[in-house]
Every structure is written in structure tokens, then in C-alpha cells.
Amino acid sequence: MPRKNLVSKEENAADVLPRPTLRTVAAEAGLAVTTVSRALADDPRIAEATRKRVTEVANRQGYVPNRAAQRLRTGRTKVISLLLNTRHEYLSFTSEFLAGMSEGLQGTGYAINITADSLGGDRLDVIRQIRRHSLADAIVFTRTECFDDRVRYLLEHGFPFVSHGRTDFTTPHPFVDFDNEAFVRQAIERLVQKGRQHICIVMPNERYTFGQHLRFGARQAAISCGAQLTIPEGVDLDSEPDEIAATLRALHAGPDAPDGYVCVGEVMALITLAGLNDMGLTPGKEVDLVAKRASPISNHFRPRIETVDEDLRATGRAMAEVLLARIDGRPMEEMQVLLKPNGPFSISG
Amino acid sequence: MPRKNLVSKEENAADVLPRPTLRTVAAEAGLAVTTVSRALADDPRIAEATRKRVTEVANRQGYVPNRAAQRLRTGRTKVISLLLNTRHEYLSFTSEFLAGMSEGLQGTGYAINITADSLGGDRLDVIRQIRRHSLADAIVFTRTECFDDRVRYLLEHGFPFVSHGRTDFTTPHPFVDFDNEAFVRQAIERLVQKGRQHICIVMPNERYTFGQHLRFGARQAAISCGAQLTIPEGVDLDSEPDEIAATLRALHAGPDAPDGYVCVGEVMALITLAGLNDMGLTPGKEVDLVAKRASPISNHFRPRIETVDEDLRATGRAMAEVLLARIDGRPMEEMQVLLKPNGPFSISG
DNA sequence: CAGCTCATTTATAACGTTACAACAAAAATT
DNA sequence: AATTTTTGTTGTAACGTTATAAATGAGCTG
């Protein structure tokens, strides 16, 4: 039980100095605390010479404003809450997305706070608490629905947010979205070009706006390409992989089986590949498959598949930028970002 | 430019009431602010009747302590920083782990803060800042190395942390780890049981402590099973998938190719599967493969593989518990958790 | 009943910051 | 030269909490 080992050892000189505050800076610069505060905030009332001296002293002392004090005084938190989807997410979405957001917020002083969606309970509760108790300056979330209750609530209360995905509300709001319409069109065109006639889209429920966009894009593309289209029910973001596999199996057992598959995401692709394999079908031979790709691991699916790329890190970065724009009150045009699929096609493997 | 739509509409009654504070509660209860503060903190100096009345009034008013004020006053942040590895992480690690930590911290008032590791720069910088400026009460990180500089720094300064993985330092410290030794032993035993004689472990670099454990366990198991063992160099957590594939190919081109593979993680498994496939080898026929599994997606690898499970959500929960134990100053035994592989074997698919 | 202890409660100050009103001195106006 | 204006700076208060010291009053002791 050598607990003593955990006790901090002799602090070195730099550590033992009192943490610099506005007071210590003001004292050294021979100014009032208020003046220092203003100088560091680039307040126009401060003379240039004073500002310069203050920043110099502040830097020398290694002054960093105390977040808690700022927060208490101003009510602003310098925190951005990311609503984490705590259902199983099997691929890299969260990780890459977070990394992108971190990059985008670098140097702004904003911290990212993970808030788990309340499992079971009303998912608005979490958001209400954030707003009521000023736990964050803005909120970010994913899996946006056509008439998303979170968007509605946040718009109604004028609370800053950025959604990953659009809504069907008439009131415009900040978002970052991937052009799923373009993706699915490209995917279908490619499959038709390879001679496929009956396309199946393995994609999540229509509850999500991006599901609608996919449907719309798919229908358009199917018509213009003269292809048949099947969009099976019972495939959703939170479906058990086995359910999805069963759905595909049932589809194939029917009279009129698809010969081309578009998979929205790598998990869907993996499940589809397994399903096809189990039915004795090989992509590249009897059928073809195009998937949305967000990581290099799909390069290692066998048989190889074709992909269209979505850059999740760039998505995270864009979210951060839009968030800052929203907080700064910049115009709506700068806060609605539609990211294009990366390159028309990249053959994996 | 319909910005007006974003402006908050008429606040409803509940919103317009002043945010309850200790003062409002004290006023209504006819007590001093200090008394209320103590009552809510379960201070033994407060009479039972008073405490009861206070909690009642506080609940009715919907009082929630102001974090910023508490933080300013006490210096404690009620924040836990998770150091996010911003290199590419292609599978569900971050997401599941975070979900588990959230669960474990539910109701404790602790928030999880994501701090990206400083790309390029000294990775200790981030940690130093957290400590210097009291940005968090504790730190969590993964990919722990045998003589991890982060662990050393944090131990030296007595700053609370929990590492995912152990170190080789003599000073004990809080950690949560997976029993990789048991995992690799089980995996090898299974492969030998299937008649395999030459086992290849596809695993990350020995820099990481868990890499060492894997090596150790593998050697022991190989000896006791009488199997040959190969651990290729050049496979690491941050290796490009293509590099790993090339390594395996080279290995197989050699005079004495392995016939059994242990893959530490699903990405490794996928890459290995692809490599074997490309070389015309089929698991279950010429070779066999056992992988560590942390998500159900490996059920959909084809050909099917056998797996040993690691529960990342449970890992996150354990991290949270250990963290709280550390902050509470509980004894070291409660803060060193070794999670066992889940069940001896589960045949996927 | 004075003196003392103990159990509660209270007043005050402080954490570090920023908003606000006030101020002094220099510059511009009359 | 007296005034207003401008420029730059300062002092005070407050955000909501907790630590510390002080105060109150009841109960007990001698």
C-alpha cells in the first residue's frame, strides 16, 4: 500500500510561484486591474503603449485568464457540448469527427464537452439542462431528422447549435451536411455503367433527413439511368447487423433480386458483403457494390468494392467553423455547409 | 437572410424566473446562505430538520449549484479530461469507450472534456496545461507505454489520472487494463487445438505495455503448446493498413509460413483476412485466425473467424469508477483493474 | 445563577474576472 | 480663459460559491 508514492514531490520553482492573475500583472505593470483586463481584451479605450506593456508583462508572467472566473462573471462558458450517441457506433465516426472538431477549435479557447444522450429518457432533457444551467455556449449533434425536436427546441430558444445534417423546417439554421444526393447518384450511375439494372440501396430509415436525400437522389438517378430501384425497409442506423443481413436475404429470396448494391457506410457494406457471400454471390461477378467510405479500412474488404469518399475529419472541422460563426453572429450563408463527395470515384484496394 | 428567425421567441414563465441560487433558496427558507450551502453539502454541523427543509426548498426552486462559482471558489473543476488520440482510429474504440465513461460518471456531476493530443508538439504540453491551469480534476488516456512519460509526469506531480494499460514503473498507479496475456494464450491454445503449428501474432509494437504482455503470453503459450511463434516487426497501431498487408505478404513469401494467426483487434483482422485472401489462403482451410473482438461487426467478416471478446464499454465504465476512487483517495487496490476476456471463446457469425 | 460546553447558525471575506460609473488630464471648442 | 469634449485610466461592485471566524442560544455543571 505504498500510497506515499502518489504524493507529489518537491515542487520546482516555476510551480511554486503563485498563479499569475490580473492582479499580479497589474501590480507589476503599475496599473489598475481593470486596465489590464481591458488591455488584454483589446478594448479600444486603452492606449497603444499601455496595451503593449501589459501584454508584455502578462506574457512574461505566463498569465492565462481563469476560466471559472470569466465564466462566472460573463456567463459564457467557452465550452461546446457534443451530444454523443451512446448506441453502438461501430466505425470511426465519433473518433474522426472529434479529431476534426478539435482541429477546428484549436486556439479558440473552446473546449469540447461530451454529453451522453440520456438513454431511455427524453433526449431533450440533456439539452434543456445545458441551456438552463449554461453548461455550454453551443451544442453539436448528429443524426438530424427531418423535423428534429432538438433543432426545434434550440431554434425556439435561440440557443447556438450546429447540426450534422439538415432539417425540413422552413426556418434556416446552421448545419454541416454531406451531399448524399450526389453520392447516391454517382453510385447508381457507376453501377448502371457496369451493366446493373436493379439497384438496392442499403441505407438507414427515412426518419433522418439524409435518408430522404438519399431516397430522392436515388429515385432521380434511377429514372435518368432507366434502372429499377429497391430500398428495403427495416434497415436503420441502430439495426442489429443480423437484422440487416436477414432483410437482405429475404430480398434476395424474392422473385426479382437486385444485382447492384449501394451501401451507405462501411458497416452496411460489410454486412451486405457477408450477406451476399452467404448467398453465394460475388461482387464483381453476379452483382456489384458501391459504398460510402470514411476510412481506409474498406480497402481491405474482400472482394474489393468501389467507394465514394466522405471526409469525416473535414466534417468535424467544418462543424467547428460554423459553430464559431454562429457564436460570432455571422450571416446564415456562412453557416450552411454542404460537403461534396470526395472525387467522383475511387476504386478501393 | 431571415436572421430574425433565430432570435429567441417569447420566453415562457418557467424560463423567465431568475435562476435559483443559494441566495434565493436561503431567502425562501429564512436561513443564511452559508447554512444552505452546508445543508446541501451534508455538513454534519447542520440540524437534520434544517437540512430537510433546505433540500425541499432547493428542489422546489430547481436549484442547481453554479459550476463556475464552485470551481472558482474551490479550485476543483468537476471535469475529467480524456486525451484523444487524433491519429486515425478506424474502429469503435473512442465511441464505445466514451459511452462507457459517460455511463460510469452518470450522476456524479463530472463532465468529460475532450483534449486532442498536440499533433507534432510535445504531448506532455497538453497535460502540463491541464495541470497548471486546473483545466480538469483528472486525466484519462490510452495507449500506455512501458515507461510512459505521461504517467511519470502525472505521478511526479501527484495529479490524478487513470491510464488504459499498465506501465513497468515500480511506483503503483491507477489503471484499467485488458488481460491481453490471457487473450493471447486462449487464442493460441485454440489455434493449436485446431492443428496449427506455426502461429503469427499480428499485433502492435512492443513500445506499448500491452504489446509486451502479448509477447510474454504468446511465448508462454507457444512453449506449453509446443508451437512455433512469429511476431512480425513493422506492425503498429498507427501503421498504414497497406504496410501491414505488405508485412504479412513478405512473411508468407518466406520459407516457413505461419498457419495460424492471432489478430489483436478487428482492423488487424480485416487486414490479415484481406492479405490471406490475396495470397489464396482461406481461414478454416489452409490457415486459421483468431481475433480480439470489440464489436459485433467482426461477425460479418468472411470467411468467418473466431474471436475473443473485449468489452470496451465496460472498460470505459471501469475507468470512470477508478477515476472517482482516485479522486476520493481510496486505496490502490481498488484502482487497479484487470478485465478478463469475455468468455473463453465465441465463434462468430 | 454564573460559567462553561456543545450544537447550530450567521456574517464576512475571498476566489478572479468584467461591467459600470466615476474620474483626471489632455485636447478641442467657444 | 472658461467650457466642453475626448482620451485614458481607476475604483467599486458584482457574478455564486465556500472557508473561516464569530455569534447565538440551549443545556449542563458546580
Side-chain angles (χ1 to χ4, degrees), chain B residues 22 34 37-38 63 66 69-70 73:
Chain B
L22 286 182
T34 306
S37 171
R38 290 214 185 107
Y63 169 78
N66 180 315
Q70 285 182 319
R73 188 60 246 247

Side-chain angles (χ1 to χ4, degrees), chain B residues 31 35-36 39 46-56:
Chain B
L31 289 164
T35 311
V36 174
I46 299 299
E48 196 46 54
T50 311
R51 185 194 326 286
K52 218 176 132 190
R53 187 152 47 96
V54 167
T55 46
E56 195 194 299

Side-chain angles (χ1 to χ4, degrees), chain A residues 22 37-38 63 66 70 73:
Chain A
L22 286 183
S37 171
R38 290 219 183 103
Y63 169 77
N66 179 315
Q70 285 182 318
R73 188 61 248 245

Side-chain angles (χ1 to χ4, degrees), chain B residues 50-335:
Chain B
T50 311
R51 185 194 326 286
K52 218 176 132 190
R53 187 152 47 96
V54 167
T55 46
E56 195 194 299
V57 173
N59 285 336
R60 183 143 35 80
Q61 290 195 9
Y63 169 78
V64 172
N66 180 315
R67 284 269 182 81
Q70 285 182 319
R71 184 167 164 176
L72 175 60
R73 188 60 246 247
T74 63
R76 263 161 279 132
T77 62
K78 286 277 186 177
V79 165
I80 286 169
S81 254
L82 171 69
L83 304 185
L84 178 75
N85 179 268
T86 54
R87 308 228 183 174
H88 294 283
E89 219 160 64
Y90 302 124
L91 273 173
S92 55
F93 188 85
T94 305
S95 170
E96 289 289 294
F97 187 76
L98 269 175
M101 278 198 52
S102 292
E103 267 179 57
L105 293 173
Q106 198 90 332
T108 63
Y110 277 94
I112 302 173
N113 220 296
I114 297 296
T115 311
D117 55 5
S118 57
L119 284 163
D122 182 359
R123 70 173 172 178
L124 277 187
D125 277 350
V126 172
I127 297 179
R128 280 197 205 96
Q129 282 190 4
I130 292 173
R131 186 181 83 88
R132 290 249 177 83
H133 306 127
S134 307
L135 267 31
D137 293 344
I139 291 181
V140 177
F141 53 88
T142 61
R143 301 192 171 194
T144 304
E145 300 166 12
C146 299
F147 297 99
D148 199 291
D149 54 344
R150 301 166 297 183
V151 171
R152 181 182 288 122
Y153 177 88
L154 291 165
L155 277 177
E156 276 181 358
H157 291 90
F159 196 93
F161 72 96
V162 182
S163 58
H164 181 231
R166 286 163 279 180
T167 61
D168 285 342
F169 292 126
T170 51
T171 308
H173 63 83
F175 67 79
V176 173
D177 204 355
F178 176 74
D179 191 346
N180 282 289
E181 229 175 285
F183 152 69
V184 77
R185 194 171 48 233
Q186 290 176 13
I188 289 176
E189 279 166 6
R190 177 66 179 153
L191 286 170
V192 170
Q193 184 187 326
K194 287 193 143 196
R196 301 306 168 189
Q197 291 296 331
H198 182 182
I199 314 292
C200 170
I201 319 281
V202 186
M203 57 165 276
N205 200 285
E206 59 201 320
R207 170 170 80 255
Y208 303 105
T209 319
F210 82 102
Q212 297 281 10
H213 291 145
L214 285 166
R215 259 155 235 262
F216 181 77
R219 289 205 190 99
Q220 292 247 318
I223 290 168
S224 81
C225 294
Q228 190 186 340
L229 190 66
T230 297
I231 301 180
E233 298 291 318
V235 177
D236 203 359
L237 287 178
D238 292 323
S239 299
E240 286 301 314
D242 290 340
E243 289 175 48
I244 298 175
T247 300
L248 294 179
R249 206 158 36 237
L251 186 64
H252 237 276
D256 181 29
D259 57 0
Y261 288 85
V262 177
C263 296
V264 184
E266 284 156 312
V267 174
M268 299 281 177
L270 205 52
I271 296 169
T272 306
L273 275 176
L276 292 173
N277 177 80
D278 295 353
M279 296 184 288
L281 300 170
T282 308
K285 292 190 180 152
E286 303 88 358
V287 294
D288 272 299
L289 193 155
V290 177
K292 196 201 272 188
R293 169 172 81 162
S295 82
I297 73 160
S298 39
N299 291 359
H300 297 266
F301 291 171
R302 293 295 180 273
R304 293 165 196 267
I305 58 172
E306 294 197 22
T307 58
V308 177
D309 287 358
E310 173 176 20
D311 187 340
L312 291 177
R313 224 168 249 248
T315 307
R317 273 196 306 271
M319 297 287 278
E321 280 159 23
V322 170
L323 222 26
L324 296 171
R326 171 65 183 87
I327 291 172
D328 287 0
R330 291 215 289 279
M332 190 59 75
E333 297 86 67
E334 296 178 29
M335 307 197 289

